[in-house]
C-alpha cells in the first residue's frame, strides 16, 4: 500500500546527489514541455539535448494510434539517454470519459462522475489500474489525473463531469482509489487542481477565476480530498490558476502564491511530493503575469515543476529565466536541487513499481479482469497487491479483459432520474432521435468527434430510429423544423449536451413539450440539463457521450439493462445527490 509522502524536504543525501549535477541539468528537470507532431520535433529534441528538460507532455496532436505512441515515447527516451539526460517523465491527461488524449485502441474508461454514479470506489481503483497498465505499456509514466475538485457549482464550465461529485468525502474516497490504481501500475498520479477548481464559473484557460470563500469553508470542502490524497501517498499535486483571497492578498492565483503552495500545501498539509503547475500558457497566467515571468514566480512560491505545453519560444525563455533567477540570487541553488530531487525520486518510485508489476507478471502469468480485479482491490487494500502484465505489454492495451472492466463500470453508471407515464422502456416502434453533437465546451477538451451516435446505439438494441444530429451552435435554427418532424413519431428521444450552459437546447425541448410531444431526454454530459426543462416526462443521465456510454444508455432505454446509477451531485431540490437507482423500466 502506498504510504504518505508527507515528510517535508527531500532527504539530505538525495539533495546532495542532485547538487552534484550541472545546474542546467537540475533546472531542466523542473520543466515539462509539449510539442506538435507524431514524431519528435526538432524543437523538442533541442529542448531535451540542450535544455535538459525533465518531461514531455503528450496531447491528442501527438497521437495517431497506440503503436505510434509507443514508438514515439521510445524515441524520446532514446534521445534523452543518448544526451545523458535522466529518464524523461512522459505525461498525458488521461482522466477518462470526455477528457482523454488516447481514445482509440485503448480501453477508455468512463470519467469520474460516471464512475462515482456507479457507487463503487473499487471501480475507481480498477479503472485507474487498467489505465495505468496501458499507459505504462505505451511508455507514458505520468498521468495528470485524478481530478479532486469538488463540483458544487452547476455553472462550472470546465470541471463538471470530470469531478467525482459534490461530496468532499466521496471525492476523496474515489480519488484515493484512482491514485492507488495508477501508481500501482507504475504511473505517477497527479491530484488536481489544488486547492480546488470545483466552485468556479470561469474557465482558467480563458481568464483568472476567484473563489471567495472563507478559510474554514475551503478547509472543509475544497481541501478534504487533497488531505486524503496526501495521506495515500500521491506522487504529485497540480496547482490551479485561481485566486483565493482568504489565503493570499491581491490578485495572485494559487500557482504563484507562496502562502498557498509553501504555507498551506507544503507546511500545513505536510505534502512532501511534487508540486506541479497547470499549463503556464493558460490565459489566467499568460494574460495577467506572462508565462515566462510566472515560471519564476511559481518556483518562488514553492512549485517543483512548471508545465509549458505549446510554444517553443516560451519554453526556452522560461528555462533561461529560471537560470537567470538562480544567477541573480532570486532563486537559491538549494531550492532548485530540492525540486529536482523530488522529481527524480518520483520517477524512481514509479519505475520500481512498474518493475515489480512486470516481475509479478512473469511469476503469475496473464493479467487480471472480472472477479480477479475485485481480488486485486482487496489484496492491495491489505498491502500485498501484485499487478501482472503480459509478456508483451502492448498486446494488453485495449484487450478484451480491459474493455470488459470499462463496460461493467459504464453500465453501472447510467442513472434514471425520471420516468413519468412509463415512457421507458421504449416500444419497438420507429423512433425519432434528436442528438446534439458532442463539442469542445472548454479549452481543455480535445477529442470529441465520436464514431457512434445515440441513434446507432438504439438501432443495435432493436429500436428502429431516424436520427437528426445538430451541432451545438445551430440548435436554435432547427427548433421549428424538428418540432414539426417530431409530431409524426410516436416516440422521441432527445440527447442534450451541456444544455444547462447552452440554453437553445432548452428551447428545443420546450417547443416539443408545447407541441404535445413527450420526449425522453438523455443528458449526454451535464447532469444539470433538466433544470432548463423540468416538466420533461423522462430523463436519463450518461455523464458523457463516448461510444461506450451511448451503448450503455441504449440498453437502459430499450429495457435490456437495469438503471443502477445514482447522481453524485444535486441536480435541483427535487433531485438531490444520491437520486436514481431505478429498477428496470416498466412498459405502459
Amino acid at each position: 500500500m502506498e504510504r504518505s509522502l508527507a515528510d517535508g524536504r527531500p532527504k539530505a543525501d538525495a539533495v546532495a546527489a542532485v547538487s552534484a549535477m550541472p545546474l542546467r541539468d537540475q533546472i531542466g528537470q523542473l520543466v515539462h514541455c509539449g510539442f506538435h507532431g507524431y514524431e519528435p520535433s526538432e524543437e523538442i529534441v533541442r529542448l531535451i539535448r540542450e535544455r535538459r528538460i525533465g518531461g514531455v507532455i503528450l496531447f491528442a496532436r501527438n497521437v495517431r494510434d497506440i503503436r505510434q505512441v509507443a514508438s514515439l515515447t521510445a524515441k524520446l527516451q532514446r534521445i534523452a539517454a543518448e544526451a545523458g539526460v535522466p529518464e524523461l517523465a512522459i505525461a498525458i491527461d488521461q482522466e477518462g470519459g470526455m477528457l482523454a488524449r488516447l481514445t482509440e485502441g485503448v480501453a477508455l474508461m468512463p470519467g469520474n462522475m460516471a464512475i462515482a454514479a456507479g457507487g463503487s470506489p473499487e471501480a475507481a481503483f480498477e479503472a485507474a489500474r487498467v489505465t495505468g497498465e496501458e499507459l505504462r505499456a505505451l511508455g507514458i509514466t505520468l498521468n495528470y489525473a485524478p481530478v479532486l475538485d469538488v463540483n458544487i457549482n452547476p455553472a462550472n464550465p470546465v470541471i463538471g463531469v470530470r469531478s467525482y461529485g459534490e461530496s468532499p468525502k466521496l471525492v476523496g474516497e474515489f480519488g484515493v482509489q484512482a491514485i492507488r490504481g495508477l501508481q500501482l501500475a507504475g504511473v505517477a498520479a497527479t491530484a488536481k487542481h489544488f486547492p480546488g477548481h470545483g466552485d468556479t464559473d470561469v474557465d482558467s484557460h480563458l481568464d483568472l477565476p476567484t473563489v471567495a470563500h472563507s478559510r474554514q469553508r475551503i478547509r472543509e470542502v475544497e481541501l478534504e480530498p487533497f488531505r486524503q490524497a496526501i495521506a495515500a501517498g500521491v506522487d504529485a499535486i497540480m496547482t490551479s490558476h485561481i485566486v483565493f483571497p482568504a489565503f493570499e492578498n491581491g490578485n495572485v492565483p494559487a500557482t504563484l502564491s507562496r502562502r498557498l503552495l509553501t504555507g498551506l500545501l507544503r507546511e500545513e498539509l505536510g505534502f512532501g511530493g511534487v508540486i506541479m503547475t497547470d499549463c503556464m500558457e493558460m490565459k489566467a497566467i499568460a494574460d495577467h503575469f506572462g508565462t515566462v515571468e510566472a515560471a519564476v514566480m511559481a518556483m518562488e512560491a514553492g512549485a517543483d515543476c512548471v508545465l509549458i505545453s505549446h510554444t517553443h519560444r516560451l519554453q526556452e525563455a522560461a528555462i533561461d529565466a529560471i537560470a537567470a533567477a538562480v544567477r541573480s540570487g532570486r532563486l537559491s541553488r538549494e531550492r532548485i536541487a530540492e525540486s529536482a530531487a523530488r522529481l527524480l525520486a518520483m520517477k524512481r518510485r514509479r519505475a520500481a513499481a512498474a518493475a515489480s508489476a512486470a516481475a509479478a507478471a512473469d511469476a503469475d502469468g496473464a493479467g487480471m479482469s472480472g472477479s480477479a480485479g475485485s481480488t486485486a482491490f482487496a489484496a492491495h487494500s491489505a498491502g500485498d497487491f501484485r499487478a501482472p502484465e503480459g509478456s508483451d505489454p502492448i498486446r494488453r492495451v485495449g484487450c478484451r479483459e480491459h474493455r470488459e472492466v470499462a463496460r461493467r463500470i459504464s453500465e453501472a453508471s447510467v442513472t434514471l432520474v425520471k420516468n413519468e407515464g412509463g415512457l421507458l422502456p421504449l416500444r419497438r416502434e420507429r423512433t425519432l432521435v434528436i442528438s446534439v453533437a458532442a463539442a469542445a465546451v472548454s479549452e481543455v477538451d480535445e477529442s470529441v468527434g465520436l464514431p457512434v451516435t445515440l441513434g446507432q446505439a438504439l438501432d443495435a438494441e432493436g429500436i428502429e430510429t431516424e436520427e437528426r444530429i445538430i451541432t451545438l451552435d445551430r440548435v436554435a435554427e432547427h427548433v421549428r423544423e424538428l418540432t414539426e418532424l417530431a409530431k409524426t413519431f410516436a416516440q422521441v428521444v432527445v440527447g442534450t449536451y451541456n444544455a444547462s450552459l447552452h440554453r437553445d437546447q432548452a428551447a428545443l425541448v420546450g417547443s416539443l413539450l408545447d407541441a404535445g410531444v413527450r420526449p425522453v431526454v438523455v443528458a449526454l454530459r451535464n447532469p444539470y440539463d433538466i433544470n432548463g426543462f423540468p416538466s420533461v416526462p423522462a430523463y436519463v443521465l450518461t455523464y458523457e457521450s463516448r461510444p461506450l456510454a451511448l451503448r450503455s444508455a441504449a440498453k437502459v432505454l430499450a429495457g435490456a439493462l437495469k438503471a443502477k446509477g445514482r447522481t453524485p451531485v444535486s441536480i435541483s431540490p427535487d433531485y438531490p445527490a444520491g437520486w436514481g437507482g431505478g429498477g428496470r423500466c416498466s412498459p405502459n
Side-chain angles (χ1 to χ4, degrees), residues 98-99 101 157-158 162 205 439-448 497-498 525:
M98 296 308 294
L99 201 290
R101 310 310 187 198
V158 67
R162 298 168 63 198
H205 293 81
V441 296
S442 75
E443 291 291 311
V444 77
D445 287 359
E446 279 195 318
S447 302
V448 294
Y497 191 83
N498 273 21
R525 182 161 178 163

Side-chain angles (χ1 to χ4, degrees), residues 3-8 30 32 93 142-149 172 175-176 179 182-183 187-197 222-241 244 254-257 260-280 298-299 301-307 335 339 342-343 346 349-350:
R3 300 300 180 191
S4 173
L5 299 177
D7 52 5
L30 315 185
H32 289 183
D93 284 286
L142 170 62
N143 193 7
Y144 298 139
V147 169
L148 293 190
D149 301 312
V176 161
I179 289 162
L182 283 169
Q183 294 186 174
V187 173
T190 310
K192 62 185 185 184
H193 306 80
F194 180 86
H197 207 322
E222 278 78 8
L223 294 184
E224 174 59 25
F226 291 100
R227 285 195 193 91
Q228 293 187 45
I230 291 167
V234 67
D235 280 324
I237 291 179
M238 180 180 285
T239 67
S240 65
H241 303 328
F244 289 82
T255 296
L256 308 181
S257 168
L260 279 163
L261 300 194
T262 298
L264 179 60
L265 181 53
R266 193 69 84 193
E267 295 173 356
E268 181 179 329
L269 298 182
F271 179 55
V274 172
I275 298 178
M276 187 171 294
T277 75
D278 207 338
C279 178
M280 301 297 276
M299 299 301 301
D304 299 301
C305 183
V306 173
L307 275 57
R335 171 75 186 81
S339 288
R342 287 191 184 97
L343 285 152
M346 179 180 74
R349 279 195 305 276
R350 287 316 129 213

Side-chain angles (χ1 to χ4, degrees), residues 302-568:
D304 299 301
C305 183
V306 173
L307 275 57
I308 306 177
S309 303
H310 308 291
T311 307
H312 182 66
R313 172 182 56 81
L314 296 175
Q315 292 162 347
E316 288 193 323
I319 294 169
D320 290 345
I322 294 171
V326 176
R327 290 194 299 270
S328 71
R330 184 177 174 186
L331 291 171
S332 70
R333 286 177 175 261
E334 182 182 20
R335 171 75 186 81
I336 298 299
E338 284 184 359
S339 288
R342 287 191 184 97
L343 285 152
L344 290 168
M346 179 180 74
K347 294 177 187 180
R348 286 194 297 271
R349 279 195 305 276
R350 287 316 129 213
S356 177
D362 290 340
D364 298 339
M368 301 167 306
S369 66
S371 60
S374 299
T375 303
F377 175 82
H380 176 55
S381 296
D384 59 357
F385 179 80
R386 297 293 185 271
E389 297 180 24
S391 57
D392 179 10
I394 198 168
R395 293 179 60 188
R396 297 277 295 156
V397 177
C399 68
R400 181 184 59 80
E401 292 87 353
H402 288 179
R403 291 181 185 274
E404 178 65 13
V405 172
R407 182 195 63 78
R408 290 198 322 268
I409 296 171
S410 175
E411 291 185 353
S413 73
V414 181
T415 305
L416 177 62
V417 174
K418 190 176 185 182
N419 184 28
E420 293 179 354
L423 291 182
L424 296 174
L426 296 173
R427 299 180 297 277
R428 292 300 192 267
E429 297 180 16
R430 192 160 163 270
T431 301
L432 176 64
V433 178
I434 302 169
S435 293
V436 177
V441 296
S442 75
E443 291 291 311
V444 77
D445 287 359
E446 279 195 318
S447 302
V448 294
L450 303 175
V452 175
T453 68
L454 182 58
Q456 290 169 342
L458 284 168
D459 283 336
E461 294 300 319
I463 306 293
E464 182 186 356
T465 68
E466 180 174 331
E467 189 167 28
R468 295 289 188 272
I469 299 175
I470 47 179
T471 59
L472 200 61
D473 60 342
R474 301 191 66 182
V475 174
E477 63 191 78
H478 292 287
V479 168
R480 180 176 298 180
E481 165 201 345
L482 292 172
T483 300
E484 291 304 312
L485 179 63
K487 292 177 183 178
T488 67
F489 285 80
Q491 294 185 131
V492 176
V493 175
V494 179
T496 59
Y497 191 83
N498 273 21
S500 63
L501 303 177
H502 298 270
R503 300 296 185 181
D504 289 344
Q505 295 173 69
L508 169 61
V509 176
S511 177
L512 295 174
L513 292 169
D514 290 343
V517 177
R518 303 180 71 237
V520 174
V521 174
V522 182
L524 300 178
R525 182 161 178 163
N526 192 326
Y528 306 104
D529 287 359
I530 194 174
N531 291 327
F533 34 81
S535 60
V536 71
Y539 187 58
V540 175
L541 307 178
T542 66
Y543 307 98
E544 55 200 58
S545 56
R546 294 293 185 190
L548 183 57
L550 297 181
R551 294 187 184 105
S552 298
K555 290 178 182 178
V556 168
L557 296 178
L561 180 70
K562 180 180 179 179
K564 300 177 182 178
R566 293 181 180 273
T567 177

